[in-house]
């Protein structure tokens, strides 16, 4: 199992509330630190940004009243820095404290309340709490639209993030609508060569990939990569998302050898930006594993997958969807080696997590059901195989229509399962349905 795309975890720009001109040396120092923080975060130097955010909090604690706009901004910055480093559990408390303080000091409809809502929404996405994240994004969106109208760069960020969330929920139409609105705003306000435009291109490429339009996805990703390299340089962490998705697209197009260079480059950039033991390095490691598996380099693929799983299990809840992805990837290797019982156990764990996180009608759930059906047929568990394949068939027909290749593949697996069970009439029916679909495919 693989996720079609993995989005860059980027939080909204850091805000600083309007305030009186500073009257003390401490306030002057705080303002200078906040400017430094913004610069460090923008260039991806998250360790140093974290250190600056902690110093900001030390200073703001001495301001009066205790609940003040500068402290709220400092807490917001701290949460953003922790999240950027993949330290998600440590990020939530300061962001929630910042939100409460900004609501108290600035009022519930202030733009900086929207900023923290957006940041908290992105954190909740990373923590696999989609319903809570959507609530945060929509509230922030309403605040910004009411205050600034439809042409606002921070509104574009919220639209982008909401589009990412809808993509995760497989709501492709809604995701594309949000992302295209965001892209149009950014191209008008920032210009077509801005890195923020490139982020929209990455996410639109994910939608094209989900629709199996890999040529269009590749063009979008190549444009995004060129923008980011020119604007940010060849080693900026924003390149990781584009490189991993480009490697996935190249692999899907049958060019796994060509995909290896961008995949390894993404791992190298992420390791330097976040640290080799940081959970965010698991994303490019997973892509590298996919590329190596496609080249039948199973031992190397297993090393990459196991590293990714280890990082995720050390940092994420055990029911997190990213752990399911790692389990599914390792299961695919066990299947390739003919170790069907081991593959079955891993797929079963991955399915339980995925259904709880994504819902029963998600394409990743359908893929896991299909894989379980194939594995159980190999094990001779024909009743279990039939049940899993029938569920996969139902989901794929609902998602992709009755004429999709994935439907034909599922019908063919059902036919083989029925043959093994001695139910020849049913096997013939499934086989005929699959052949009819294939005959109509381009």
């Amino acid at each position: 199992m693989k996720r079609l795309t993995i989005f860059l975890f980027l939080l909204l720009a850091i805000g600083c509330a309007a305030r009186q001109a500073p009257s003390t040396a401490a306030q002057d120092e705080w303002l200078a630190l906040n400017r430094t923080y913004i610069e460090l975060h923008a260039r991806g130097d998250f360790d140093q940004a974290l250190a600056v955010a902690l110093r900001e909090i030390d200073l703001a604690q001495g301001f009066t009243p205790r609940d003040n706009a500068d402290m709220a901004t400092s807490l917001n910055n701290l949460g953003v820095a922790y999240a950027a480093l993949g330290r998600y559990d440590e990020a939530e408390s300061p962001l929630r404290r910042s939100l409460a303080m900004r609501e108290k000091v600035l009022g519930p409809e202030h733009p900086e309340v929207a900023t923290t809502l957006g940041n908290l929404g992105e954190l909740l996405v990373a923590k696999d709490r989609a319903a809570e994240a959507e609530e945060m994004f929509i509230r922030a969106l309403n605040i910004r639209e009411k205050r600034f109208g439809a042409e606002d760069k921070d509104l574009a960020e919220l639209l982008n993030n909401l589009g990412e969330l809808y993509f995760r929920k497989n709501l492709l139409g809604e995701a594309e609508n949000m992302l295209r609105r965001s892209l149009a705003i950014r191209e008008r306000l920032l210009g077509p060569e801005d890195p923020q435009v490139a982020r929209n291109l990455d996410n639109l490429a994910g939608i094209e990939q989900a629709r199996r339009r890999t040529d269009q996805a590749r063009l979008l990703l190549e444009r995004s990569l060129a923008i980011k390299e020119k604007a940010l340089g060849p080693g900026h962490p924003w390149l990781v998302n584009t490189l991993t998705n480009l490697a996935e697209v190249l692999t899907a197009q049958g060019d796994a050898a060509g995909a290896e260079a961008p995949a390894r480059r993404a791992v190298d950039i992420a390791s330097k930006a976040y640290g080799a033991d940081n959970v965010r390095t698991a994303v490019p490691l997973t892509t590298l594993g996919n590329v190596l598996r496609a080249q039948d380099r199973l031992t190397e693929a297993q090393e990459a997958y196991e590293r990714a799983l280890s990082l995720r299990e050390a940092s994420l809840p055990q029911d997190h969807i990213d752990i399911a992805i790692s389990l599914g990837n390792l299961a695919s290797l066990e299947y390739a080696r003919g170790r069907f019982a081991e593959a079955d156990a891993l797929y079963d764990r991955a399915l339980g997590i995925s259904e709880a996180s994504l819902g029963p009608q998600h394409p990743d759930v359908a893929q896991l059901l299909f894989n379980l059906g194939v594995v159980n047929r190999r094990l001779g568990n024909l009743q279990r195989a039939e049940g899993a394949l029938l569920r996969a068939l139902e989901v794929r027909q609902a998602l992709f229509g009755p004429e999709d290749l994935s439907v034909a593949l599922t019908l063919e697996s059902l036919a083989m399962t029925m043959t093994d069970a001695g139910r020849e009439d049913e096997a013939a029916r499934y086989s005929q349905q699959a052949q009819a679909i294939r005959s109509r495919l381009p």
Side-chain angles (χ1 to χ4, degrees):
M1 181 187 73
K2 77 177 183 68
R3 182 173 292 174
L4 291 170
T5 190
I6 304 174
F7 293 116
L8 175 68
F9 184 79
L10 177 78
L11 301 176
L12 283 169
I14 299 87
C16 179
R19 60 198 294 276
Q20 298 295 320
S23 58
T24 69
Q27 289 172 319
D28 285 338
E29 184 180 355
W30 184 92
L31 282 172
L33 285 169
N34 195 56
R35 286 191 292 269
T36 300
Y37 175 89
I38 293 170
E39 292 169 1
L40 290 167
H41 186 275
R43 67 171 182 250
D45 192 347
F46 303 127
D47 283 312
Q48 290 300 313
L50 174 61
V52 171
L54 290 167
R55 177 59 182 149
E56 284 184 54
I57 286 176
D58 286 342
L59 284 172
Q61 284 175 339
F63 300 164
T64 54
R66 183 175 179 81
D67 290 347
N68 60 79
D70 293 340
M71 174 59 84
T73 295
S74 302
L75 289 166
N76 179 80
N77 294 353
L78 180 64
V80 168
Y82 277 136
L85 289 165
R87 295 165 62 174
Y88 302 140
D89 288 338
E90 294 169 274
E92 186 165 354
S93 175
L95 285 173
R96 289 196 179 277
R97 288 176 61 198
S98 174
L99 177 61
M101 199 174 295
R102 281 179 160 170
E103 287 175 326
K104 176 182 176 181
V105 174
L106 304 173
E109 299 298 313
H110 194 279
E112 290 194 16
V113 171
T115 296
T116 303
L117 284 166
N119 291 340
L120 189 54
E122 278 292 277
L123 176 66
L124 292 168
V125 169
K127 296 182 79 169
D128 207 25
R129 289 154 60 183
E132 295 173 76
E134 184 176 9
E135 180 182 344
M136 298 292 174
F137 287 147
I138 290 175
R139 185 181 162 201
L141 196 68
N142 290 336
I143 292 171
R144 298 210 77 90
E145 282 188 308
K146 183 177 178 180
R147 176 67 70 96
F148 300 110
E151 292 293 306
D152 174 59
K153 64 180 180 65
D154 289 328
L155 178 66
E157 177 69 16
L158 285 166
L159 289 166
N160 177 78
N161 294 344
L162 195 53
E164 292 181 359
L165 179 62
Y166 287 150
F167 180 93
R168 285 173 176 255
K169 296 171 72 174
N170 200 45
L171 300 172
L172 299 186
E174 292 90 334
E176 184 174 12
N177 178 54
M178 294 292 171
L179 291 169
R180 291 203 178 277
R181 282 183 62 193
S182 176
L183 177 63
I185 293 169
R186 283 173 166 167
E187 287 185 322
R188 283 194 295 269
L189 296 181
L190 305 175
E193 299 301 311
D194 191 271
Q196 297 289 359
V197 169
R199 291 184 58 228
N200 288 111
L201 297 173
D202 288 341
N203 293 339
L204 287 166
I207 291 175
E208 295 293 355
Q209 195 179 353
R211 290 171 172 160
R212 299 177 190 158
R213 302 202 292 238
T214 55
D215 288 341
Q216 294 91 323
R218 181 173 176 175
L219 288 172
L220 289 164
L221 290 167
E222 287 173 343
R223 181 186 164 198
S224 170
L225 185 61
I227 291 171
K228 289 180 179 179
E229 287 180 324
K230 181 179 179 181
L232 304 172
H236 195 281
W238 281 24
L239 272 68
V240 172
N241 184 60
T242 312
L243 290 165
T244 54
N245 288 342
L246 181 58
E248 295 282 7
V249 167
L250 290 169
T251 303
Q253 291 182 326
D255 186 13
E260 187 170 348
R264 290 194 180 279
R265 185 179 169 198
V267 171
D268 183 62
I269 293 172
S271 297
K272 290 176 180 175
Y274 311 126
D277 295 327
N278 188 281
V279 67
R280 296 184 68 178
T281 308
V283 172
L285 280 169
T286 298
T287 293
L288 179 60
N290 293 342
V291 170
L292 294 168
R293 182 185 64 190
Q295 298 179 65
D296 291 323
R297 293 158 62 182
L298 301 187
T299 300
E300 294 171 84
Q302 183 169 356
E303 291 173 359
Y305 286 154
E306 287 180 343
R307 278 189 64 200
L309 177 61
S310 176
L311 294 176
R312 286 167 169 164
E313 287 183 326
S315 300
L316 302 174
Q318 293 307 295
D319 59 352
H320 195 284
I321 187 60
D322 288 351
I323 290 177
I325 291 170
S326 288
L327 293 169
N329 288 332
L330 286 166
S332 72
L333 294 181
E334 297 291 12
Y335 179 83
R337 290 171 166 143
R339 299 174 58 180
F340 303 129
E342 291 83 351
D344 179 53
L346 290 165
Y347 277 137
D348 200 46
R349 280 183 62 197
L351 178 64
I353 295 170
S354 297
E355 283 188 304
S357 176
L358 303 174
Q361 297 299 116
H362 195 278
D364 286 357
V365 170
Q367 183 65 52
L368 283 168
L369 287 165
F370 177 84
N371 294 348
L372 272 172
V374 171
V375 166
N376 276 277
R377 173 179 166 261
R378 292 295 192 113
L379 288 167
N381 301 329
L382 301 182
Q383 186 174 0
R384 188 163 188 248
E386 180 185 7
L389 290 168
L390 286 171
R391 285 185 60 200
L393 180 66
E394 179 184 0
V395 176
R396 285 175 162 175
Q397 286 174 327
L399 289 174
F400 307 126
E403 299 294 304
D404 191 76
L405 176 60
S406 68
V407 173
L409 291 169
T410 312
L411 288 165
E412 287 164 352
S413 289
L414 277 165
M416 289 186 283
T417 303
M418 294 302 97
T419 297
D420 290 352
R423 293 155 61 181
E424 296 296 342
D425 289 345
E426 292 170 85
R429 187 176 75 251
Y430 286 132
S431 182
Q432 289 167 5
Q433 290 173 4
Q435 289 173 11
I437 292 170
R438 285 190 178 274
S439 71
R440 293 188 289 270
L441 290 173

